């Protein structure tokens, strides 16, 4: 059992299928968590499930509020943020020749720029403690590319490169930066895929099945814990053998 007791963790994108699983895992392991998202209805469900949990509506696309958000979290945690998990992200798919500049900018802005800004703000807090962990959720398409997702793939590849650079910059301050890169995970999205296409996709995966949200959550719990203290600048691939780095 991974022990996360006494760790103060910020989790963005807590309302999605993977985000829910990450949150459940962190709480089960004893962590103190601030859970964020933009969907008020889903945030209420989280709050109803975990009465004492700190739940905040937080739109990462509003760059002007990021520093204040981090400051508010720091106060809740008595100025000690142990882990930041950047799970929030969006897609706006289109073939590259049809992709509007706005579709490109919005995905890059939220997935990459916003992740950088909140990470930068949190690292300032971690530097005072000379300790901390940053975990960025990326995607297999950031390594392989994908038809119709040039913006999303670019944003996720950017996060991977950014994480390596941050790991180099702040390793001497005992701050680790790592990524978890999911492949095809069972979700509302994969449930809409036709049976024929599902079988085709599974045939490209070594384990011949989609992953579960818990598979991603388990990797994140490990990276949040002291079991990963000597790991930085790395990406854990959770894709069942769809892609080997």
């Amino acid at each position: 059992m991974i022990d996360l007791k006494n760790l103060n963790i910020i989790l963005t994108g807590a309302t999605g299928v993977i985000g829910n699983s990450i949150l459940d895992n962190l709480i089960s392991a004893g962590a103190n968590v601030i859970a964020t998202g933009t969907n008020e209805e889903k945030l209420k469900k989280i709050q109803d499930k975990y009465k004492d949990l700190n739940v905040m509506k937080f739109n990462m696309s509003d760059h002007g509020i990021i520093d204040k958000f981090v400051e508010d979290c720091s106060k809740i945690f008595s100025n000690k943020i142990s882990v930041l998990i950047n799970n929030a992200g969006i897609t706006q798919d289109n073939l590259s020749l049809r992709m509007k500049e706005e579709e490109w900018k919005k995905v890059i802005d939220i997935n990459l720029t916003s992740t950088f800004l909140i990470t930068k703000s949190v690292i300032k807090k971690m530097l005072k403690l000379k300790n901390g962990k940053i975990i960025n959720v990326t995607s297999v398409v950031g390594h392989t590319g994908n038809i119709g997702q040039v913006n999303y793939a670019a944003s996720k590849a950017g996060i991977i490169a950014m994480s390596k650079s941050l790991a180099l910059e702040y390793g001497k301050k005992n701050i680790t930066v790592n990524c978890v890169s999911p492949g095809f995970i069972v979700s509302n999205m994969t449930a809409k895929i036709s049976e024929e296409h599902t079988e085709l996709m599974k045939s490209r995966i070594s384990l011949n099945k989609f992953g579960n949200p818990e598979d991603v959550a388990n990797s994140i719990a490990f990276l949040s814990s002291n079991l990963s203290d000597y790991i930085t600048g790395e990406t854990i691939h959770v894709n069942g053998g769809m892609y080997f780095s």
Side-chain angles (χ1 to χ4, degrees), residues 9-14 19 22-23 26 33-37 83-85 87:
I9 301 178
I10 299 173
L11 169 63
T12 70
I22 294 169
L23 179 61
L26 296 176
V33 185
I34 295 175
T36 80
V83 183
L84 168 65
I85 301 169
N87 179 57

Side-chain angles (χ1 to χ4, degrees), residues 86-215:
N86 286 310
N87 179 57
I90 65 165
T91 59
Q92 284 203 339
D93 299 348
N94 213 339
L95 292 174
S96 57
L97 291 182
R98 297 176 184 170
M99 184 172 289
K100 298 175 182 177
E101 185 176 353
E102 186 62 29
E103 292 172 322
W104 169 270
K105 285 183 175 180
K106 188 171 183 179
V107 172
I108 295 295
D109 184 57
I110 292 177
N111 292 3
L112 182 57
T113 306
S114 296
T115 296
F116 166 69
L117 291 174
I118 189 172
T119 299
K120 177 182 176 183
S121 190
V122 168
I123 282 177
K124 289 179 182 178
K125 301 293 183 183
M126 291 178 170
L127 282 172
K128 295 177 182 179
L129 302 170
K130 295 185 178 179
N131 187 269
K133 296 178 185 291
I134 309 291
I135 303 167
N136 295 319
V137 179
T138 60
S139 170
V140 66
V141 304
H143 302 268
T144 65
N146 197 32
I147 294 171
Q149 289 193 312
V150 63
N151 51 359
Y152 183 71
S155 71
K156 293 302 186 178
I159 288 174
I160 295 162
M162 179 187 75
S163 299
K164 291 178 183 291
S165 298
L166 291 171
L168 289 170
E169 288 186 9
Y170 298 105
K172 290 182 179 179
K173 299 298 183 181
N174 202 34
I175 297 170
T176 64
V177 188
N178 292 291
C179 296
V180 173
S181 181
F184 283 98
I185 304 299
V186 174
S187 65
N188 295 334
M189 182 184 72
T190 55
K192 296 177 183 178
I193 301 172
S194 68
E195 184 177 348
E196 180 182 2
H197 192 51
T198 295
E199 291 306 313
L200 176 62
M201 292 166 67
K202 286 181 179 178
S203 70
R204 298 172 180 171
I205 301 170
S206 178
L207 294 181
N208 197 38
K209 62 180 180 179
F210 292 160
N212 292 311
E214 293 80 11
D215 296 319

Side-chain angles (χ1 to χ4, degrees), residues 13-26:
T15 57
V17 173
I18 292 176
N20 275 179
S21 185
I22 294 169
L23 179 61
D24 290 342
N25 225 4
L26 296 176

Side-chain angles (χ1 to χ4, degrees), residues 20-59:
N20 275 179
S21 185
I22 294 169
L23 179 61
D24 290 342
N25 225 4
L26 296 176
I27 292 174
S28 294
N32 306 312
V33 185
I34 295 175
T36 80
T38 58
N39 187 309
E40 291 185 3
E41 183 178 347
K42 291 182 178 180
L43 287 172
K44 186 179 183 305
K45 288 182 180 179
I46 291 174
Q47 191 71 82
D48 289 343
K49 183 176 181 180
Y50 296 108
K51 303 296 183 183
D52 298 327
L53 181 70
N54 287 292
V55 177
M56 295 187 187
K57 184 178 180 182
F58 173 53
N59 188 346

